[in-house]
Amino acid sequence: MAGIPLYFVDLQDDLDDFGFEDYGPDCDSMRITAFLDIPGQDNLAPLARLEKYAFSDNIFNRQIIARGLLDVFRDFSHNEEDYLTVMAIVVRLAEDTEPTVRTELMEQIPPIAIFLQESRPNFPTSFSEYLMPIVVRYLTDPNNQVRKASQDSLLILLEQGLIGQYDIENKVCPILLDLSAPESDDEYKVEAVNIICKMASMVNKSTVEQLLLPRFCELCGDGKLFQVRKVCAANFGDICNAVGQEATEKNLIPKFFELCSDSVWGMRKACAECFMAVSYTISPEVRRSKLSPLFISLISDPCRWVRQAAFQSLGPFISTFANPSSAGLYIREDGTLSIRPSSPCPTGNNANDMPSSPEEQVGEKLESLTDGPSASCENSNSDATEDSSAIQVNIGVDQTILTQSDNADPYVTKDIKECQINSYQEVNSRVQSAEDVFNTFLYWRPPLPDISQDLELLQCKTEIHEESCPVSEVLCNNCVASSEIKKVLQSLQEHMDDPDVQAQVQVLSAALRAAHLDSVGCFEIKQNEEVNGNYPEDTPGLVLDPSSVNENTLSSLPSQDEAINPPSPTVIKNMDSEEQHSGDNKALEAEKNDPLHEEEKSKLQDIIPQPLLDQYLSMTDPARAQTVDTEIAKHCAYSLPGVALTLGRQNWHCLKDTYETLASDVQWKVRRTLAFSIHELAVILGDQLTAADLVPIFNGFLKDLDEVRIGILKHLYDFLKLLHADKRREYLYQLQEFVVTDNSRNWRFRYELAEQLILILELYNPNDVYDYLRHIALTLCSDKVSEVRWISFKLVVAILQKFYANSANSLGLNFINELIVRFRHCSKWVGRQAFAFICQAVVEEECMPADHFVEHLLPSLLSLASDPVPNVRVLLAKALRQTLLEKVYFRSVGNPHLEAVEETVLVLQADRDQDVSFFATIKPKHNNMHITSLEKQN
């Protein structure tokens, strides 16, 4: 350290020789090139002196010139001849042999370009002619520091849009392609590919596709340098985003597969880290059919670091399957998740509209029953495909739509059933035309083989026989249809490796099971009719009367999980109809009685590939912490809201157990992560699921460590406003628990509580505010930390405003009297000062009518003029001079209270304390103020 002063002295001596002896570390206003304006012994003009020092033998002189070029351009850019002279000096200086001079020059290129763009009309031409060649040439400079400065300058110029399209295509891209060529030097190649990846998002899409994309694909397979492939893998998502979906799927996805299977684990780790960015730019079909299996292979990678990166990216990758509109949500411009307001729409216009929760579905169905058949027939058009137990498949050329019942409803009236049968084709056409409605099957399914003719034939046979045949014949036809579907399934078993065939087998398996359940239901109904002697005169279709439904019938219907999540396809053997019927009954009975099978089915869904969800759910397994990452549970908790948004509230049962496991994790960091995001999860799930599943966890977090409670506290208002009024009122008494902290020095915790209480006031009525929140506010006003006290005074003002805004004047008067006793007559000067601040804020915010203020608060406020503590009188002077006298009410002629206020101000102006007299004398800024609501009330 002893060499620093000597170096500074030498530097200062050199600066003195240049003619500005006053230049030093404390001189901020002097330009670096100020010596050009000071006449020296050489008697040269400023430009001549600039040229002399720019090509001096002293390296330090040339560094000073290069560092001060921006100031030089500011001085000489107004004259065209001087401007060209300076530009010629810059070009000559760019050929300096000293690397430090070239580095200093290159660092000044971006600010010079920005200045010239603003001041020179012919900037594009001069920049392209003089400065751009310097930037391009320095990309191949032998000195590493110069190249680094040139790369940074190039990216800045591209980001600011200072380089024209012609220069990009004819100067920048060619040199980058030459540097990244196979025969190029390894160090240059790594730097070039890094620039290519970073500039991809700053240039036109066509430029990237035509000039840079082929070379990038070539570099992804560079077998010589793994550093090149690693740079490509780390920036793969940016390139995909730059070229778009078509080029990504055609050119980049095959290269991405190669990188994910690279022999170097660092490459695979980089691919796992950018997986989400790649997934965002491709189609849902490719995401499901290609990227999902690829990601599973990274999760099971033999290298622990690759598995760790894959599990960290698992939640973000799952979130790329999300469609918030399907859950009735939308993302605002600020990035927050909000509930989409329900817009009234014509009844039956959308076959995919459905209630947000099972409880709402039941409620709507019961309402349709009580309204009668005439009122429910029209409404059932849109619900026919949801409430029927049949599988309706309509496969077109470009899309495949599967509408399957969520739950077979036994309480279906005759008129509703007729509407369902008659509007089958109408509903299907309506579903196909509703392109703006999200359909989970359409969202990710690839087109399946066209078997629509066979299925239509089966459907027609079934409908014809249902209209003309008794129940026994319907049972027979169902068996025939089931046997034909089984033959199709058996023929597809040889091609189970194809994902399209697997999807088709799942559809047919679900149709087979539904047909079988219909047969069983018809058979039992017929038995009940024979026993009870009920023979309908005319049976146009299968009609379930509520009086004829028994427990056996209900148990034979498929559950909601069975309808949404069909089981995996199995090989079906040919057997006699009787053996097949008994075998299916045994299999169904075994499934019902197997608790493990029910638990597995509860985790099934159709939004994302099931293996991805299974891997995500396994992140809470303690074994994962030992074999993958000790903080894997934290990553799981961090991405859980995104996964929940992807699956939707209808599939919350898949994540419920995982969420409860994370909420009880032994690591407080995991619980803290959940606490910070529980309000977002409440928006996703809705009020019913929030009250059932999130409120108990929320209550547990309230009693947790302060590190966890702060997450609850920061979004307390956001969570409470989502609850029903009765459930929200239960937390009134628990709010005071936030005042007590594990560490009394954690004052920011209490500060955050006061801020949240200001927002929470709108959620409760004045009586609850007076009984519960008033005590918390007064307690915070007496806090040891001033920051907490000042924000608490604002809370007191907000409470007072709450009372008068809701016409609770009696509560407001009682609160005012308590404030006078507690603060105006406080033995400590801090309390009396707080009273002056509260009165000032009341007037500023216009919390109460002016006549109430002058009657109840003004006398006590004016009495502070005789307070012995100057700090109290200072705040009183500010309140009177800067606030009260600014109001039209107090400045109006004839106001009886104006005289008392002016007398107090005169007393304060003559105060012995200079600060008090200053604030009482300072002239307030009179603005053209409109008559506010405070004056309108009088």
Side-chain angles (χ1 to χ4, degrees):
M1 299 300 290
I4 293 180
L6 296 177
Y7 175 77
F8 178 75
V9 170
D10 295 338
L11 176 63
Q12 192 66 37
D13 293 339
D14 292 334
L15 294 177
D16 294 342
D17 295 337
F18 290 139
F20 49 107
E21 293 81 358
D22 296 332
Y23 184 82
D26 297 331
C27 184
D28 298 330
S29 60
M30 183 168 291
R31 304 188 334 269
I32 296 178
T33 57
F35 65 91
L36 298 176
D37 303 328
I38 302 176
Q41 297 178 357
D42 48 16
N43 295 323
L44 296 176
L47 280 179
R49 190 178 297 113
L50 171 65
E51 187 173 1
K52 172 186 176 181
Y53 293 127
F55 307 111
S56 172
D57 294 334
N58 191 340
I59 297 175
F60 180 77
N61 295 350
R62 305 198 299 273
Q63 288 181 356
I64 289 295
I65 295 299
R67 192 178 304 169
L69 280 177
L70 179 59
D71 294 331
V72 172
F73 275 101
R74 286 173 178 169
D75 293 338
F76 299 104
S77 62
H78 303 289
N79 185 280
E80 184 67 22
E81 184 179 354
D82 294 343
Y83 169 74
L84 294 178
T85 302
V86 173
M87 194 64 74
I89 294 175
V90 171
V91 174
R92 290 181 58 188
L93 191 63
E95 300 175 357
D96 198 288
T97 58
E98 177 60 34
T100 57
V101 177
R102 300 198 302 272
T103 303
E104 292 284 356
L105 173 62
M106 184 49 58
E107 291 176 352
Q108 296 301 316
I109 293 294
I112 290 174
I114 295 175
F115 169 75
L116 295 180
Q117 184 190 33
E118 299 172 353
S119 59
R120 300 289 300 179
N122 61 340
F123 163 76
T125 303
S126 60
F127 177 80
S128 176
E129 183 179 353
Y130 295 105
L131 299 182
M132 194 61 210
I134 300 176
V135 177
V136 174
R137 186 169 70 250
Y138 280 8
L139 291 175
T140 60
D141 195 274
N143 185 270
N144 183 30
Q145 195 67 23
V146 177
R147 293 200 310 273
K148 176 64 176 169
S150 177
Q151 296 164 13
D152 295 340
S153 298
L154 176 62
L155 295 177
I156 294 175
L157 294 172
L158 289 171
E159 185 179 6
Q160 298 295 328
L162 300 176
I163 304 178
Q165 184 65 24
Y166 178 83
D167 289 338
I168 293 176
E169 296 181 357
N170 296 276
K171 295 181 180 180
V172 178
C173 291
I175 190 66
L176 293 177
L177 294 178
D178 291 341
L179 292 176
S180 59
E183 64 276 3
S184 177
D185 185 77
D186 295 342
E187 187 175 2
Y188 289 150
K189 185 184 296 185
V190 174
E191 295 175 352
V193 68
N194 194 19
I195 298 176
I196 291 175
C197 296
K198 290 182 178 180
M199 67 178 290
S201 60
M202 306 176 188
V203 297
N204 293 338
K205 178 181 177 181
S206 59
T207 303
V208 180
E209 290 186 8
Q210 297 174 6
L211 300 178
L212 302 181
L213 182 59
R215 179 53 53 86
F216 179 82
C217 295
E218 180 182 347
L219 294 173
C220 288
D222 190 301
K224 182 179 178 181
L225 283 178
F226 78 92
Q227 292 91 342
V228 174
R229 302 197 307 276
K230 187 173 182 180
V231 173
C232 294
N235 298 275
F236 209 92
D238 297 335
I239 300 295
C240 293
N241 186 39
V243 299
Q245 175 181 332
E246 182 179 357
T248 298
E249 296 180 358
K250 180 180 179 181
N251 301 316
L252 293 179
I253 290 300
K255 297 299 179 181
F256 191 65
F257 269 76
E258 295 178 4
L259 292 174
C260 289
S261 58
D262 198 280
S263 58
V264 180
W265 65 266
M267 232 66 62
R268 305 194 300 273
K269 179 177 179 292
C271 292
E273 293 172 347
C274 69
F275 218 91
M276 181 188 70
V278 176
S279 178
Y280 266 125
T281 58
I282 62 175
S283 62
E285 292 80 8
V286 177
R287 182 184 300 120
R288 171 172 286 273
S289 61
K290 294 184 178 180
L291 283 195
S292 296
L294 181 62
F295 194 85
I296 294 298
S297 65
L298 293 177
I299 285 183
S300 58
D301 195 271
C303 179
R304 176 172 181 172
W305 305 113
V306 179
R307 297 197 305 271
Q308 178 178 334
F311 273 108
Q312 292 179 10
S313 301
L314 177 57
F317 174 56
I318 291 177
S319 67
T320 59
F321 291 84
N323 190 330
S325 60
S326 64
L329 305 173
Y330 74 101
I331 300 178
R332 295 179 178 176
E333 294 181 357
D334 57 357
T336 59
L337 191 66
S338 300
I339 303 176
R340 184 181 299 278
S342 58
S343 58
C345 57
T347 304
N349 285 348
N350 193 346
N352 287 339
D353 290 342
M354 55 188 304
S356 59
S357 62
E359 292 81 358
E360 295 178 2
Q361 294 179 13
V362 175
E364 292 182 3
K365 292 175 183 177
L366 292 179
E367 289 177 3
S368 64
L369 290 177
T370 56
D371 291 340
S374 60
S376 62
C377 181
E378 182 179 355
N379 296 338
S380 65
N381 289 340
S382 62
D383 298 332
T385 58
E386 296 175 1
D387 296 335
S388 64
S389 60
I391 305 298
Q392 302 174 355
V393 182
N394 187 4
I395 304 176
V397 178
D398 296 330
Q399 61 181 1
T400 304
I401 299 177
L402 173 63
T403 307
Q404 185 172 338
S405 62
D406 288 341
N407 193 2
D409 190 358
Y411 303 99
V412 181
T413 61
K414 178 179 180 180
D415 293 334
I416 294 178
K417 186 65 179 181
E418 291 177 354
C419 291
Q420 292 176 352
I421 297 174
N422 295 334
S423 61
Y424 174 76
Q425 297 295 335
E426 178 184 355
V427 170
N428 277 341
S429 62
R430 190 186 306 121
V431 171
Q432 289 181 346
S433 63
E435 297 178 354
D436 56 338
V437 179
F438 174 77
N439 185 293
T440 56
F441 187 83
L442 177 61
Y443 185 68
W444 56 261
R445 290 284 189 184
L448 301 179
D450 189 4
I451 57 171
S452 56
Q453 296 181 356
D454 298 335
L455 291 177
E456 288 177 1
L457 179 61
L458 294 176
Q459 183 69 24
C460 293
K461 290 182 179 180
T462 304
E463 291 181 357
I464 292 174
H465 285 283
E466 282 182 355
E467 295 178 357
S468 59
C469 299
V471 177
S472 60
E473 295 183 5
V474 172
L475 295 175
C476 181
N477 291 331
N478 287 337
C479 295
V480 174
S482 300
S483 62
E484 294 184 6
I485 294 177
K486 291 178 181 179
K487 292 180 181 179
V488 177
L489 283 173
Q490 188 174 5
S491 64
L492 295 176
Q493 294 300 323
E494 299 177 357
H495 310 283
M496 286 301 295
D497 295 336
D498 191 350
D500 295 340
V501 176
Q502 294 178 4
Q504 183 177 346
V505 169
Q506 291 182 1
V507 173
L508 295 176
S509 300
L512 177 63
R513 187 177 67 260
H516 171 71
L517 293 177
D518 285 343
S519 302
V520 176
C522 294
F523 180 74
E524 293 182 354
I525 291 175
K526 180 180 179 181
Q527 286 183 336
N528 293 336
E529 290 178 352
E530 291 177 355
V531 172
N532 299 329
N534 297 328
Y535 298 94
E537 297 178 359
D538 187 13
T539 308
L542 180 59
V543 179
L544 295 179
D545 186 75
S547 60
S548 65
V549 177
N550 54 18
E551 296 180 358
N552 294 330
T553 305
L554 294 176
S555 63
S556 65
L557 295 174
S559 63
Q560 183 176 3
D561 291 338
E562 291 174 344
I564 296 178
N565 306 308
S568 302
T570 54
V571 179
I572 303 175
K573 299 180 180 179
N574 292 329
M575 57 181 68
D576 295 336
S577 58
E578 295 181 358
E579 295 178 356
Q580 170 193 343
H581 184 73
S582 60
D584 290 342
N585 284 337
K586 292 180 181 179
L588 291 174
E589 192 68 24
E591 289 183 1
K592 293 179 181 178
N593 298 331
D594 189 1
L596 295 178
H597 183 75
E598 293 294 333
E599 182 179 358
E600 292 178 357
K601 288 200 300 182
S602 65
K603 301 295 187 297
L604 298 179
Q605 42 72 48
D606 61 348
I607 305 298
I608 63 176
Q610 191 62 36
L612 290 179
L613 180 60
D614 294 340
Q615 292 291 341
Y616 179 80
L617 299 179
S618 69
M619 293 177 70
T620 57
D621 188 354
R624 294 290 191 188
Q626 302 296 330
T627 59
V628 180
D629 186 7
T630 55
E631 294 188 351
I632 189 173
K634 181 182 177 182
H635 297 295
C636 178
Y638 182 81
S639 57
L640 194 139
V643 178
L645 176 63
T646 304
L647 296 179
R649 64 185 62 172
Q650 69 274 13
N651 292 315
W652 167 243
H653 59 275
C654 299
L655 298 174
K656 180 182 177 181
D657 295 341
T658 301
Y659 190 78
E660 293 176 351
T661 303
L662 293 172
S664 59
D665 196 276
V666 295
Q667 301 183 64
W668 63 266
K669 293 182 179 180
V670 177
R671 305 194 303 273
R672 174 187 170 93
T673 304
L674 294 181
F676 271 95
S677 62
I678 192 172
H679 67 287
E680 296 287 359
L681 192 59
V683 175
I684 297 172
L685 298 183
D687 52 357
Q688 296 182 359
L689 291 175
T690 297
D693 299 332
L694 297 187
V695 167
I697 295 176
F698 182 85
N699 296 336
F701 288 158
L702 289 177
K703 304 175 183 179
D704 213 311
L705 302 175
D706 286 349
E707 289 79 4
V708 179
R709 295 169 68 203
I710 189 62
I712 291 292
L713 183 58
K714 277 187 174 293
H715 304 285
L716 186 61
Y717 166 76
D718 297 328
F719 185 82
L720 291 180
K721 72 178 181 180
L722 299 174
L723 303 179
H724 290 293
D726 53 348
K727 177 64 73 173
R728 187 189 306 141
R729 198 170 184 275
E730 297 177 1
Y731 290 97
L732 277 171
Y733 184 77
Q734 300 182 23
L735 290 177
Q736 62 184 358
E737 298 179 2
F738 283 107
V739 180
V740 182
T741 57
D742 299 337
N743 185 3
S744 59
R745 296 182 178 179
N746 188 11
W747 61 270
R748 291 180 177 84
F749 194 92
R750 301 188 295 274
Y751 185 92
E752 187 67 37
L753 174 61
E755 284 190 329
Q756 287 295 314
L757 289 178
I758 295 176
L759 301 175
I760 290 174
L761 291 177
E762 70 176 50
L763 302 179
Y764 297 100
N765 57 60
N767 292 325
D768 290 338
V769 172
Y770 186 84
D771 295 337
Y772 296 95
L773 303 185
R774 173 179 60 93
H775 300 289
I776 302 177
L778 295 176
T779 302
L780 294 175
C781 287
S782 303
D783 198 87
K784 296 180 180 180
V785 181
S786 62
E787 290 291 336
V788 179
R789 293 197 302 269
W790 288 111
I791 189 65
S792 301
F793 298 153
K794 296 181 180 179
L795 173 60
V796 168
V797 175
I799 292 176
L800 196 60
Q801 187 176 15
K802 174 78 175 182
F803 292 151
Y804 281 98
N806 292 272
S807 301
N809 295 349
S810 59
L811 297 179
L813 182 58
N814 294 337
F815 191 46
I816 288 175
N817 295 331
E818 188 173 2
L819 293 177
I820 294 174
V821 174
R822 193 181 187 95
F823 296 105
R824 169 60 190 88
H825 302 292
C826 182
S827 58
K828 298 182 179 180
W829 68 269
V830 177
R832 301 192 298 273
Q833 186 188 49
F835 182 78
F837 177 82
I838 292 173
C839 293
Q840 182 182 9
V842 168
V843 177
E844 287 180 349
E845 300 294 335
E846 302 176 3
C847 300
M848 55 190 300
D851 54 348
H852 284 225
F853 175 81
V854 299
E855 180 182 357
H856 301 293
L857 286 177
L858 186 59
S860 299
L861 177 64
L862 297 179
S863 64
L864 293 176
S866 59
D867 195 276
V869 179
N871 289 355
V872 179
R873 301 196 303 274
V874 166
L875 204 56
L876 174 63
K878 290 182 178 180
L880 297 180
R881 193 67 176 170
Q882 300 178 8
T883 305
L884 264 70
L885 293 180
E886 286 291 295
K887 298 297 180 180
V888 178
Y889 175 83
F890 290 99
R891 289 191 286 110
S892 60
V893 180
N895 191 318
H897 306 284
L898 179 60
E899 183 178 355
V901 174
E902 289 180 344
E903 290 179 356
T904 306
V905 171
L906 292 176
V907 172
L908 294 175
Q909 289 177 355
D911 196 276
R912 62 183 181 273
D913 189 276
Q914 295 181 357
D915 293 334
V916 177
S917 61
F918 172 78
F919 286 106
T921 308
I922 185 174
K923 187 177 180 180
K925 296 179 181 180
H926 293 286
N927 300 324
N928 296 328
M929 301 174 58
H930 297 282
I931 299 177
T932 58
S933 60
L934 182 65
E935 289 81 29
K936 289 181 180 179
Q937 297 175 359
N938 298 276

